Amino acid sequence: MSSPVQLIPNNSLITNSPEEGRQLAVKMARLIIKATQPDASVREKLRTIYAEDAAMLIAIGQVVATEFATIAAANNYWK
Amino acid sequence: MSSPVQLIPNNSLITNSPEEGRQLAVKMARLIIKATQPDASVREKLRTIYAEDAAMLIAIGQVVATEFATIAAANNYWK
Amino acid sequence: MSSPVQLIPNNSLITNSPEEGRQLAVKMARLIIKATQPDASVREKLRTIYAEDAAMLIAIGQVVATEFATIAAANNYWK
Amino acid sequence: MSSPVQLIPNNSLITNSPEEGRQLAVKMARLIIKATQPDASVREKLRTIYAEDAAMLIAIGQVVATEFATIAAANNYWK
Amino acid sequence: MSSPVQLIPNNSLITNSPEEGRQLAVKMARLIIKATQPDASVREKLRTIYAEDAAMLIAIGQVVATEFATIAAANNYWK
Amino acid sequence: MSSPVQLIPNNSLITNSPEEGRQLAVKMARLIIKATQPDASVREKLRTIYAEDAAMLIAIGQVVATEFATIAAANNYWK
Protein backbone atom coordinates (compact mmCIF):
# COMPACT_ATOMS: atom_id res chain seq x y z
CA MET A 1 0.00 0.00 0.00
CA SER A 2 2.88 2.45 -0.77
CA SER A 3 1.84 5.43 -2.97
CA PRO A 4 4.30 7.07 -5.37
CA VAL A 5 1.73 6.14 -8.05
CA GLN A 6 -0.83 8.83 -8.98
CA LEU A 7 -4.02 7.52 -7.40
CA ILE A 8 -6.65 9.72 -9.08
CA PRO A 9 -6.23 10.67 -12.75
CA ASN A 10 -6.43 14.47 -13.18
CA ASN A 11 -6.75 14.76 -9.40
CA SER A 12 -10.52 15.20 -9.71
CA LEU A 13 -13.71 13.23 -9.08
CA ILE A 14 -15.71 15.37 -11.51
CA THR A 15 -16.50 13.82 -14.89
CA ASN A 16 -18.65 14.81 -17.87
CA SER A 17 -20.95 11.82 -17.73
CA PRO A 18 -21.91 8.67 -15.82
CA GLU A 19 -19.92 6.61 -18.33
CA GLU A 20 -16.76 8.61 -17.64
CA GLY A 21 -17.48 8.38 -13.93
CA ARG A 22 -17.67 4.63 -14.23
CA GLN A 23 -14.38 4.52 -16.11
CA LEU A 24 -12.85 6.61 -13.34
CA ALA A 25 -14.14 4.14 -10.75
CA VAL A 26 -12.44 1.29 -12.62
CA LYS A 27 -9.19 3.26 -12.85
CA MET A 28 -9.23 4.26 -9.18
CA ALA A 29 -9.75 0.64 -8.15
CA ARG A 30 -6.91 -0.46 -10.40
CA LEU A 31 -4.53 2.22 -9.14
CA ILE A 32 -4.85 1.04 -5.53
CA ILE A 33 -3.76 -2.40 -6.69
CA LYS A 34 -0.89 -0.81 -8.59
CA ALA A 35 0.19 1.18 -5.52
CA THR A 36 0.06 -1.92 -3.35
CA GLN A 37 1.83 -4.15 -5.88
CA PRO A 38 4.11 -1.86 -7.92
CA ASP A 39 5.74 -4.71 -9.89
CA ALA A 40 4.02 -4.80 -13.29
CA SER A 41 5.07 -8.38 -14.00
CA VAL A 42 3.48 -9.62 -10.78
CA ARG A 43 0.28 -7.67 -11.56
CA GLU A 44 0.23 -9.21 -15.03
CA LYS A 45 0.47 -12.69 -13.52
CA LEU A 46 -2.29 -11.90 -11.02
CA ARG A 47 -4.53 -10.53 -13.78
CA THR A 48 -4.50 -13.95 -15.43
CA ILE A 49 -5.68 -15.41 -12.15
CA TYR A 50 -8.51 -13.02 -11.27
CA ALA A 51 -9.81 -12.72 -14.84
CA GLU A 52 -10.60 -16.43 -14.81
CA ASP A 53 -11.91 -16.64 -11.25
CA ALA A 54 -15.64 -15.98 -10.83
CA ALA A 55 -15.40 -15.05 -7.15
CA MET A 56 -12.63 -12.53 -7.78
CA LEU A 57 -14.45 -10.97 -10.73
CA ILE A 58 -17.46 -10.47 -8.47
CA ALA A 59 -15.22 -8.96 -5.78
CA ILE A 60 -13.79 -6.52 -8.33
CA GLY A 61 -17.37 -5.57 -9.18
CA GLN A 62 -17.92 -4.82 -5.49
CA VAL A 63 -14.91 -2.49 -5.32
CA VAL A 64 -15.92 -0.65 -8.48
CA ALA A 65 -19.49 -0.26 -7.18
CA THR A 66 -18.14 1.31 -3.99
CA GLU A 67 -15.82 3.71 -5.79
CA PHE A 68 -18.61 4.63 -8.20
CA ALA A 69 -20.96 5.50 -5.34
CA THR A 70 -18.51 8.19 -4.23
CA ILE A 71 -17.89 9.50 -7.74
CA ALA A 72 -21.62 9.62 -8.50
CA ALA A 73 -22.30 11.60 -5.30
CA ALA A 74 -19.42 13.97 -6.13
CA ASN A 75 -21.06 14.68 -9.49
CA ASN A 76 -24.52 15.04 -7.94
CA TYR A 77 -25.47 12.05 -10.10
CA TRP A 78 -24.89 14.11 -13.28
CA LYS A 79 -28.33 15.68 -12.88
CA MET B 1 -10.37 -4.22 -15.70
CA SER B 2 -9.82 -2.73 -19.23
CA SER B 3 -12.79 -0.70 -20.56
CA PRO B 4 -13.57 -0.50 -24.28
CA VAL B 5 -16.96 -1.94 -23.27
CA GLN B 6 -19.78 0.57 -22.65
CA LEU B 7 -20.15 0.48 -18.87
CA ILE B 8 -23.49 2.28 -18.41
CA PRO B 9 -26.31 1.66 -20.91
CA ASN B 10 -27.61 4.99 -22.28
CA ASN B 11 -24.93 6.75 -20.23
CA SER B 12 -27.49 7.63 -17.54
CA LEU B 13 -28.44 6.58 -14.03
CA ILE B 14 -31.98 7.93 -14.40
CA THR B 15 -34.72 5.36 -14.92
CA ASN B 16 -38.52 5.46 -15.06
CA SER B 17 -39.11 3.16 -12.12
CA PRO B 18 -37.48 1.16 -9.31
CA GLU B 19 -37.80 -1.98 -11.42
CA GLU B 20 -35.87 -0.40 -14.28
CA GLY B 21 -33.34 0.92 -11.78
CA ARG B 22 -32.86 -2.58 -10.47
CA GLN B 23 -32.36 -3.91 -13.98
CA LEU B 24 -29.76 -1.20 -14.54
CA ALA B 25 -27.96 -2.26 -11.35
CA VAL B 26 -27.78 -5.83 -12.64
CA LYS B 27 -26.48 -4.64 -16.02
CA MET B 28 -23.88 -2.34 -14.51
CA ALA B 29 -22.58 -5.15 -12.31
CA ARG B 30 -22.40 -7.47 -15.30
CA LEU B 31 -20.62 -4.92 -17.50
CA ILE B 32 -17.75 -4.57 -15.03
CA ILE B 33 -17.24 -8.32 -15.26
CA LYS B 34 -17.37 -8.04 -19.05
CA ALA B 35 -14.81 -5.24 -19.07
CA THR B 36 -12.51 -7.23 -16.79
CA GLN B 37 -12.92 -10.49 -18.68
CA PRO B 38 -13.66 -9.54 -22.31
CA ASP B 39 -13.60 -13.15 -23.59
CA ALA B 40 -17.25 -14.24 -23.89
CA SER B 41 -16.39 -17.95 -23.84
CA VAL B 42 -14.55 -17.59 -20.53
CA ARG B 43 -17.47 -15.61 -19.06
CA GLU B 44 -19.86 -18.33 -20.21
CA LYS B 45 -17.77 -20.96 -18.44
CA LEU B 46 -17.62 -18.84 -15.28
CA ARG B 47 -21.39 -18.30 -15.37
CA THR B 48 -21.89 -22.04 -15.03
CA ILE B 49 -19.70 -21.94 -11.94
CA TYR B 50 -21.23 -18.98 -10.10
CA ALA B 51 -24.83 -19.87 -10.94
CA GLU B 52 -24.45 -23.11 -9.00
CA ASP B 53 -22.41 -21.73 -6.12
CA ALA B 54 -24.42 -20.37 -3.19
CA ALA B 55 -21.63 -18.15 -1.86
CA MET B 56 -21.05 -16.55 -5.24
CA LEU B 57 -24.75 -15.96 -5.82
CA ILE B 58 -24.88 -14.17 -2.48
CA ALA B 59 -21.81 -12.12 -3.44
CA ILE B 60 -23.51 -11.10 -6.70
CA GLY B 61 -26.47 -9.99 -4.62
CA GLN B 62 -24.10 -7.81 -2.61
CA VAL B 63 -22.72 -6.11 -5.71
CA VAL B 64 -26.18 -5.48 -7.13
CA ALA B 65 -27.36 -4.05 -3.79
CA THR B 66 -24.43 -1.62 -3.81
CA GLU B 67 -25.02 -0.50 -7.39
CA PHE B 68 -28.71 -0.13 -6.71
CA ALA B 69 -28.08 2.13 -3.71
CA THR B 70 -26.37 4.61 -6.04
CA ILE B 71 -29.03 4.37 -8.74
CA ALA B 72 -31.83 4.79 -6.20
CA ALA B 73 -30.20 7.91 -4.76
CA ALA B 74 -29.68 9.29 -8.27
CA ASN B 75 -33.41 8.92 -8.91
CA ASN B 76 -34.31 10.39 -5.50
CA TYR B 77 -35.88 6.98 -4.80
CA TRP B 78 -38.47 7.56 -7.57
CA LYS B 79 -40.52 9.70 -5.19
CA MET C 1 -27.71 -12.37 -13.91
CA SER C 2 -30.46 -12.43 -16.62
CA SER C 3 -33.73 -10.63 -15.64
CA PRO C 4 -37.10 -11.71 -16.96
CA VAL C 5 -38.00 -12.10 -13.26
CA GLN C 6 -39.73 -9.14 -11.59
CA LEU C 7 -37.00 -7.72 -9.39
CA ILE C 8 -38.99 -5.38 -7.12
CA PRO C 9 -42.46 -6.44 -5.92
CA ASN C 10 -45.03 -3.72 -6.73
CA ASN C 11 -42.26 -1.77 -8.46
CA SER C 12 -41.88 0.46 -5.38
CA LEU C 13 -39.47 1.00 -2.50
CA ILE C 14 -42.13 2.65 -0.36
CA THR C 15 -43.59 0.55 2.45
CA ASN C 16 -45.95 1.20 5.35
CA SER C 17 -43.51 0.31 8.09
CA PRO C 18 -39.93 -0.70 8.91
CA GLU C 19 -41.05 -4.31 9.20
CA GLU C 20 -42.49 -4.28 5.69
CA GLY C 21 -39.35 -2.52 4.48
CA ARG C 22 -37.27 -5.28 5.97
CA GLN C 23 -39.41 -7.92 4.27
CA LEU C 24 -38.91 -6.07 0.99
CA ALA C 25 -35.13 -6.11 1.53
CA VAL C 26 -35.24 -9.88 1.98
CA LYS C 27 -37.36 -10.29 -1.15
CA MET C 28 -35.17 -8.02 -3.26
CA ALA C 29 -32.07 -9.97 -2.22
CA ARG C 30 -33.79 -13.25 -3.04
CA LEU C 31 -35.01 -12.04 -6.44
CA ILE C 32 -31.48 -11.24 -7.60
CA ILE C 33 -30.52 -14.82 -6.82
CA LYS C 34 -33.60 -15.99 -8.70
CA ALA C 35 -32.74 -13.86 -11.72
CA THR C 36 -29.16 -15.16 -11.71
CA GLN C 37 -30.16 -18.80 -11.19
CA PRO C 38 -33.61 -19.21 -12.75
CA ASP C 39 -33.76 -22.98 -12.17
CA ALA C 40 -35.90 -23.53 -9.06
CA SER C 41 -34.53 -27.00 -8.42
CA VAL C 42 -30.96 -25.72 -8.36
CA ARG C 43 -31.97 -22.88 -6.01
CA GLU C 44 -33.66 -25.42 -3.73
CA LYS C 45 -30.47 -27.47 -3.58
CA LEU C 46 -28.40 -24.35 -2.85
CA ARG C 47 -30.81 -23.29 -0.11
CA THR C 48 -30.01 -26.50 1.77
CA ILE C 49 -26.35 -25.57 1.55
CA TYR C 50 -26.48 -21.93 2.65
CA ALA C 51 -29.07 -22.50 5.39
CA GLU C 52 -26.61 -24.76 7.19
CA ASP C 53 -23.47 -22.73 6.55
CA ALA C 54 -22.68 -20.06 9.13
CA ALA C 55 -20.50 -17.98 6.81
CA MET C 56 -23.15 -17.89 4.09
CA LEU C 57 -25.91 -16.99 6.54
CA ILE C 58 -23.79 -14.06 7.69
CA ALA C 59 -23.18 -13.06 4.06
CA ILE C 60 -26.93 -13.10 3.41
CA GLY C 61 -27.30 -10.83 6.42
CA GLN C 62 -24.84 -8.44 4.79
CA VAL C 63 -26.81 -8.30 1.54
CA VAL C 64 -30.10 -7.71 3.35
CA ALA C 65 -28.50 -4.95 5.46
CA THR C 66 -27.34 -3.22 2.30
CA GLU C 67 -30.72 -3.48 0.56
CA PHE C 68 -32.45 -2.28 3.71
CA ALA C 69 -30.25 0.83 3.93
CA THR C 70 -31.60 1.91 0.54
CA ILE C 71 -35.20 1.10 1.38
CA ALA C 72 -34.98 2.89 4.73
CA ALA C 73 -33.59 6.01 3.07
CA ALA C 74 -36.33 5.86 0.40
CA ASN C 75 -38.93 5.87 3.18
CA ASN C 76 -37.15 8.64 5.09
CA TYR C 77 -36.77 6.06 7.87
CA TRP C 78 -40.56 5.95 8.34
CA LYS C 79 -40.41 9.13 10.42
CA MET D 1 -34.75 -16.36 3.51
CA SER D 2 -38.45 -16.98 4.41
CA SER D 3 -39.97 -14.45 6.86
CA PRO D 4 -42.76 -15.40 9.24
CA VAL D 5 -40.34 -14.21 11.95
CA GLN D 6 -40.72 -10.60 13.13
CA LEU D 7 -37.71 -8.91 11.57
CA ILE D 8 -37.65 -5.59 13.48
CA PRO D 9 -38.52 -5.56 17.19
CA ASN D 10 -41.28 -2.98 17.87
CA ASN D 11 -41.42 -2.30 14.15
CA SER D 12 -39.30 0.84 14.60
CA LEU D 13 -35.77 2.05 13.94
CA ILE D 14 -36.04 4.80 16.57
CA THR D 15 -34.23 4.20 19.85
CA ASN D 16 -33.52 6.26 22.95
CA SER D 17 -29.75 6.11 22.70
CA PRO D 18 -26.79 4.93 20.61
CA GLU D 19 -26.42 1.94 22.92
CA GLU D 20 -30.00 0.86 22.28
CA GLY D 21 -29.48 1.49 18.57
CA ARG D 22 -26.48 -0.78 18.64
CA GLN D 23 -28.47 -3.49 20.40
CA LEU D 24 -31.14 -3.14 17.73
CA ALA D 25 -28.49 -3.57 15.01
CA VAL D 26 -27.36 -6.81 16.64
CA LYS D 27 -30.95 -8.04 16.89
CA MET D 28 -31.81 -7.13 13.31
CA ALA D 29 -28.75 -8.99 12.05
CA ARG D 30 -29.66 -12.02 14.13
CA LEU D 31 -33.29 -12.03 12.98
CA ILE D 32 -32.29 -12.30 9.33
CA ILE D 33 -30.32 -15.41 10.20
CA LYS D 34 -33.33 -16.71 12.10
CA ALA D 35 -35.64 -16.05 9.15
CA THR D 36 -33.24 -17.81 6.79
CA GLN D 37 -32.61 -20.76 9.10
CA PRO D 38 -35.77 -21.18 11.21
CA ASP D 39 -34.58 -24.37 12.93
CA ALA D 40 -33.31 -23.34 16.38
CA SER D 41 -31.23 -26.48 16.82
CA VAL D 42 -29.35 -25.86 13.57
CA ARG D 43 -28.75 -22.23 14.57
CA GLU D 44 -27.42 -23.38 17.93
CA LYS D 45 -24.96 -25.69 16.19
CA LEU D 46 -23.86 -22.93 13.82
CA ARG D 47 -23.39 -20.51 16.74
CA THR D 48 -20.76 -22.85 18.17
CA ILE D 49 -18.98 -22.67 14.84
CA TYR D 50 -19.00 -18.93 14.22
CA ALA D 51 -18.29 -17.98 17.83
CA GLU D 52 -14.94 -19.74 17.58
CA ASP D 53 -14.04 -18.65 14.08
CA ALA D 54 -12.16 -15.36 13.81
CA ALA D 55 -13.14 -14.69 10.20
CA MET D 56 -16.83 -15.23 10.90
CA LEU D 57 -16.75 -13.03 13.99
CA ILE D 58 -15.26 -10.27 11.87
CA ALA D 59 -17.95 -10.83 9.23
CA ILE D 60 -20.65 -10.52 11.89
CA GLY D 61 -19.05 -7.24 12.90
CA GLN D 62 -19.38 -6.10 9.29
CA VAL D 63 -23.10 -6.88 9.18
CA VAL D 64 -23.76 -5.13 12.49
CA ALA D 65 -21.79 -2.08 11.33
CA THR D 66 -23.95 -1.88 8.20
CA GLU D 67 -27.23 -2.25 10.11
CA PHE D 68 -26.07 0.31 12.65
CA ALA D 69 -25.30 2.88 9.93
CA THR D 70 -28.97 2.79 8.92
CA ILE D 71 -30.26 2.94 12.49
CA ALA D 72 -27.93 5.82 13.36
CA ALA D 73 -29.09 7.81 10.34
CA ALA D 74 -32.74 7.08 11.23
CA ASN D 75 -32.11 8.57 14.66
CA ASN D 76 -30.21 11.54 13.27
CA TYR D 77 -27.25 10.19 15.25
CA TRP D 78 -29.08 10.88 18.53
CA LYS D 79 -28.08 14.53 18.34
CA MET E 1 -24.44 -12.16 19.31
CA SER E 2 -25.80 -11.81 22.91
CA SER E 3 -25.36 -8.32 24.44
CA PRO E 4 -24.92 -7.84 28.16
CA VAL E 5 -21.65 -6.13 27.18
CA GLN E 6 -21.75 -2.33 26.82
CA LEU E 7 -21.58 -1.87 23.07
CA ILE E 8 -20.80 1.85 22.81
CA PRO E 9 -18.44 3.44 25.35
CA ASN E 10 -20.10 6.50 26.99
CA ASN E 11 -23.23 5.71 24.98
CA SER E 12 -22.34 8.41 22.44
CA LEU E 13 -21.04 8.69 18.89
CA ILE E 14 -19.77 12.23 19.46
CA THR E 15 -16.02 12.65 19.89
CA ASN E 16 -13.65 15.60 20.15
CA SER E 17 -11.60 14.77 17.09
CA PRO E 18 -11.22 12.43 14.10
CA GLU E 19 -8.54 10.52 16.01
CA GLU E 20 -10.91 9.86 18.91
CA GLY E 21 -13.62 8.95 16.42
CA ARG E 22 -11.29 6.42 14.87
CA GLN E 23 -10.50 4.94 18.27
CA LEU E 24 -14.23 4.67 18.93
CA ALA E 25 -14.68 2.82 15.62
CA VAL E 26 -12.03 0.31 16.66
CA LYS E 27 -13.67 -0.14 20.07
CA MET E 28 -17.16 -0.54 18.63
CA ALA E 29 -15.92 -3.21 16.21
CA ARG E 30 -14.17 -5.02 19.05
CA LEU E 31 -17.20 -4.89 21.35
CA ILE E 32 -19.38 -6.69 18.81
CA ILE E 33 -16.84 -9.51 18.78
CA LYS E 34 -16.86 -9.47 22.58
CA ALA E 35 -20.66 -9.64 22.70
CA THR E 36 -20.69 -12.51 20.22
CA GLN E 37 -17.87 -14.42 21.90
CA PRO E 38 -18.01 -13.49 25.62
CA ASP E 39 -15.25 -15.94 26.64
CA ALA E 40 -12.05 -13.89 26.99
CA SER E 41 -9.79 -16.91 26.67
CA VAL E 42 -11.34 -17.87 23.34
CA ARG E 43 -11.02 -14.28 22.09
CA GLU E 44 -7.37 -14.25 23.12
CA LYS E 45 -6.76 -17.43 21.12
CA LEU E 46 -8.57 -15.98 18.10
CA ARG E 47 -6.56 -12.77 18.34
CA THR E 48 -3.38 -14.76 17.78
CA ILE E 49 -4.95 -16.15 14.64
CA TYR E 50 -6.29 -12.97 13.05
CA ALA E 51 -3.27 -10.85 13.95
CA GLU E 52 -1.10 -13.08 11.79
CA ASP E 53 -3.55 -13.57 8.93
CA ALA E 54 -3.37 -10.98 6.17
CA ALA E 55 -6.91 -11.59 4.90
CA MET E 56 -8.41 -11.22 8.37
CA LEU E 57 -6.45 -8.05 9.10
CA ILE E 58 -7.83 -6.58 5.89
CA ALA E 59 -11.35 -7.67 6.89
CA ILE E 60 -10.93 -5.95 10.25
CA GLY E 61 -9.94 -2.83 8.35
CA GLN E 62 -13.19 -3.10 6.41
CA VAL E 63 -15.29 -3.27 9.58
CA VAL E 64 -13.50 -0.32 11.15
CA ALA E 65 -13.93 1.72 7.95
CA THR E 66 -17.67 1.03 8.02
CA GLU E 67 -18.04 1.95 11.71
CA PHE E 68 -15.95 5.07 11.16
CA ALA E 69 -18.19 6.25 8.29
CA THR E 70 -21.11 6.37 10.73
CA ILE E 71 -19.13 8.07 13.49
CA ALA E 72 -17.72 10.65 11.08
CA ALA E 73 -21.20 11.50 9.79
CA ALA E 74 -22.49 11.74 13.38
CA ASN E 75 -19.77 14.31 14.09
CA ASN E 76 -20.41 16.18 10.84
CA TYR E 77 -16.83 15.25 9.95
CA TRP E 78 -15.50 17.42 12.82
CA LYS E 79 -15.90 20.51 10.66
CA MET F 1 -7.02 -4.00 17.56
CA SER F 2 -5.10 -2.10 20.33
CA SER F 3 -4.45 1.59 19.53
CA PRO F 4 -1.37 3.37 20.86
CA VAL F 5 -0.62 4.04 17.17
CA GLN F 6 -1.81 7.38 15.76
CA LEU F 7 -4.73 6.34 13.57
CA ILE F 8 -5.30 9.51 11.53
CA PRO F 9 -2.29 11.56 10.37
CA ASN F 10 -2.67 15.21 11.45
CA ASN F 11 -5.90 14.23 13.20
CA SER F 12 -7.95 15.58 10.28
CA LEU F 13 -10.01 14.28 7.37
CA ILE F 14 -9.61 17.52 5.42
CA THR F 15 -7.15 17.47 2.52
CA ASN F 16 -6.21 19.88 -0.26
CA SER F 17 -7.21 17.63 -3.13
CA PRO F 18 -8.78 14.30 -4.11
CA GLU F 19 -5.30 12.86 -4.62
CA GLU F 20 -4.29 13.74 -1.05
CA GLY F 21 -7.61 12.39 0.17
CA ARG F 22 -6.90 9.14 -1.57
CA GLN F 23 -3.45 8.96 0.00
CA LEU F 24 -5.08 9.55 3.39
CA ALA F 25 -7.50 6.68 2.73
CA VAL F 26 -4.56 4.35 2.03
CA LYS F 27 -2.79 5.52 5.20
CA MET F 28 -5.85 5.15 7.39
CA ALA F 29 -6.42 1.61 6.12
CA ARG F 30 -2.78 0.75 6.78
CA LEU F 31 -2.81 2.24 10.29
CA ILE F 32 -5.66 -0.02 11.39
CA ILE F 33 -3.57 -3.00 10.33
CA LYS F 34 -0.63 -1.51 12.23
CA ALA F 35 -2.73 -1.01 15.37
CA THR F 36 -4.03 -4.58 15.15
CA GLN F 37 -0.64 -6.12 14.42
CA PRO F 38 1.96 -3.84 16.05
CA ASP F 39 4.92 -6.10 15.23
CA ALA F 40 6.62 -4.62 12.16
CA SER F 41 8.37 -7.86 11.26
CA VAL F 42 5.08 -9.76 11.16
CA ARG F 43 3.51 -7.00 9.03
CA GLU F 44 6.46 -7.18 6.63
CA LYS F 45 5.96 -10.93 6.27
CA LEU F 46 2.23 -10.47 5.68
CA ARG F 47 2.89 -7.77 3.08
CA THR F 48 4.76 -10.32 0.97
CA ILE F 49 1.70 -12.52 1.13
CA TYR F 50 -1.04 -10.02 0.30
CA ALA F 51 0.97 -8.23 -2.39
CA GLU F 52 1.07 -11.43 -4.42
CA ASP F 53 -2.48 -12.57 -3.74
CA ALA F 54 -5.10 -11.28 -6.16
CA ALA F 55 -8.05 -11.76 -3.78
CA MET F 56 -6.31 -9.88 -0.97
CA LEU F 57 -5.29 -7.03 -3.26
CA ILE F 58 -8.93 -6.68 -4.29
CA ALA F 59 -9.98 -6.74 -0.61
CA ILE F 60 -7.51 -3.95 0.14
CA GLY F 61 -9.10 -2.00 -2.69
CA GLN F 62 -12.45 -2.46 -0.98
CA VAL F 63 -11.20 -1.08 2.32
CA VAL F 64 -9.58 1.93 0.67
CA ALA F 65 -12.77 2.62 -1.32
CA THR F 66 -14.76 2.63 1.93
CA GLU F 67 -12.34 4.93 3.75
CA PHE F 68 -12.22 7.23 0.74
CA ALA F 69 -16.01 7.56 0.66
CA THR F 70 -15.88 9.07 4.16
CA ILE F 71 -12.95 11.35 3.38
CA ALA F 72 -14.57 12.55 0.15
CA ALA F 73 -17.81 13.38 1.98
CA ALA F 74 -15.82 15.19 4.70
CA ASN F 75 -14.25 17.37 2.01
CA ASN F 76 -17.57 17.94 0.24
CA TYR F 77 -15.94 16.17 -2.72
CA TRP F 78 -13.41 19.03 -3.08
CA LYS F 79 -16.00 21.08 -4.94
Side-chain angles (χ1 to χ4, degrees):
Chain A
M1 288 197 288
S2 65
S3 315
V5 173
Q6 194 192 9
L7 295 173
I8 301 185
N10 303 317
N11 198 2
S12 172
L13 299 180
I14 306 307
T15 70
N16 289 317
S17 69
E19 181 72 21
E20 290 183 21
R22 197 75 171 161
Q23 291 167 353
L24 178 57
V26 171
K27 281 180 199 151
M28 284 171 56
R30 204 188 287 161
L31 288 166
I32 292 299
I33 292 183
K34 186 174 180 182
T36 312
Q37 175 45 270
D39 184 329
S41 67
V42 175
R43 289 201 308 276
E44 197 48 46
K45 194 181 63 184
L46 296 176
R47 175 188 292 272
T48 320
I49 293 169
Y50 68 66
E52 307 221 351
D53 184 298
M56 289 191 207
L57 285 169
I58 296 165
I60 287 168
Q62 187 68 43
V63 177
V64 172
T66 307
E67 300 289 13
F68 185 67
T70 302
I71 294 165
N75 286 279
N76 195 27
Y77 306 101
W78 298 276
K79 286 195 278 208
Chain B
M1 287 197 287
S2 65
S3 317
V5 173
Q6 194 192 9
L7 296 174
I8 301 185
N10 302 318
N11 198 4
S12 172
L13 300 179
I14 306 306
T15 70
N16 289 317
S17 69
E19 181 72 20
E20 289 182 22
R22 197 74 171 162
Q23 291 168 352
L24 177 57
V26 171
K27 281 180 199 151
M28 284 171 57
R30 204 188 286 162
L31 288 166
I32 292 300
I33 292 183
K34 186 173 180 183
T36 312
Q37 176 45 271
D39 185 330
S41 67
V42 175
R43 288 201 308 276
E44 198 48 46
K45 195 181 61 184
L46 295 177
R47 175 188 292 271
T48 320
I49 293 170
Y50 69 66
E52 307 220 352
D53 183 299
M56 289 191 207
L57 285 169
I58 296 165
I60 287 169
Q62 187 68 44
V63 177
V64 172
T66 307
E67 300 289 13
F68 185 66
T70 302
I71 294 166
N75 286 279
N76 196 28
Y77 306 100
W78 299 275
K79 285 195 279 209
Chain C
M1 286 195 288
S2 66
S3 317
V5 173
Q6 193 191 10
L7 296 173
I8 302 184
N10 302 318
N11 198 4
S12 173
L13 300 179
I14 306 306
T15 70
N16 289 317
S17 68
E19 181 72 19
E20 289 182 22
R22 196 75 171 160
Q23 291 168 351
L24 178 57
V26 171
K27 282 181 199 149
M28 283 171 58
R30 204 188 286 161
L31 288 167
I32 292 300
I33 292 182
K34 187 174 181 183
T36 312
Q37 175 47 269
D39 184 330
S41 68
V42 175
R43 288 202 307 277
E44 198 48 46
K45 195 181 62 183
L46 295 177
R47 175 187 292 272
T48 321
I49 294 170
Y50 69 66
E52 307 220 352
D53 184 299
M56 289 191 207
L57 285 169
I58 296 166
I60 287 168
Q62 187 68 43
V63 178
V64 172
T66 306
E67 299 289 13
F68 184 67
T70 301
I71 294 166
N75 286 279
N76 196 27
Y77 306 100
W78 299 275
K79 285 195 279 207
Chain D
M1 285 195 288
S2 66
S3 315
V5 174
Q6 193 192 11
L7 296 174
I8 302 185
N10 303 317
N11 199 3
S12 173
L13 300 179
I14 306 306
T15 71
N16 289 318
S17 68
E19 181 72 20
E20 289 182 23
R22 196 75 172 162
Q23 291 168 353
L24 177 57
V26 171
K27 281 180 200 150
M28 284 171 58
R30 204 187 286 162
L31 288 166
I32 291 299
I33 292 182
K34 187 174 180 183
T36 312
Q37 174 48 268
D39 184 329
S41 67
V42 175
R43 288 202 308 277
E44 198 47 48
K45 194 181 64 182
L46 295 177
R47 175 188 291 273
T48 321
I49 293 170
Y50 69 65
E52 307 219 352
D53 183 299
M56 289 191 207
L57 286 169
I58 297 166
I60 287 168
Q62 186 68 44
V63 177
V64 172
T66 307
E67 299 289 14
F68 184 67
T70 301
I71 294 166
N75 287 279
N76 196 26
Y77 306 100
W78 299 275
K79 284 194 278 205
Chain E
M1 287 195 287
S2 66
S3 315
V5 173
Q6 194 192 10
L7 296 173
I8 302 185
N10 303 317
N11 198 3
S12 172
L13 299 180
I14 307 306
T15 70
N16 289 318
S17 68
E19 181 72 20
E20 289 182 22
R22 196 76 172 161
Q23 291 168 351
L24 178 57
V26 171
K27 280 180 200 151
M28 284 171 58
R30 205 188 286 163
L31 288 165
I32 291 300
I33 292 183
K34 187 174 180 183
T36 313
Q37 175 46 269
D39 184 329
S41 67
V42 175
R43 288 202 308 277
E44 197 48 46
K45 195 182 61 182
L46 295 176
R47 175 189 291 272
T48 320
I49 293 169
Y50 69 65
E52 308 219 352
D53 184 299
M56 290 191 206
L57 286 169
I58 296 165
I60 287 168
Q62 187 68 44
V63 178
V64 172
T66 307
E67 299 288 15
F68 184 67
T70 301
I71 295 166
N75 286 279
N76 196 27
Y77 307 100
W78 298 276
K79 284 194 279 205
Chain F
M1 287 195 287
S2 66
S3 316
V5 172
Q6 194 192 9
L7 295 173
I8 301 185
N10 302 317
N11 197 3
S12 172
L13 299 180
I14 306 307
T15 70
N16 289 317
S17 67
E19 181 72 21
E20 289 182 21
R22 196 76 173 162
Q23 291 168 351
L24 178 57
V26 171
K27 281 181 199 149
M28 284 171 57
R30 204 187 288 162
L31 287 166
I32 292 300
I33 292 183
K34 187 175 180 182
T36 312
Q37 175 46 270
D39 184 328
S41 67
V42 175
R43 289 202 309 275
E44 196 49 46
K45 194 181 62 183
L46 296 177
R47 175 188 291 272
T48 320
I49 293 170
Y50 68 66
E52 307 221 352
D53 184 300
M56 290 190 205
L57 285 169
I58 296 166
I60 287 168
Q62 187 67 44
V63 178
V64 172
T66 307
E67 300 288 15
F68 185 67
T70 301
I71 294 165
N75 286 279
N76 196 27
Y77 306 100
W78 298 276
K79 285 195 278 207

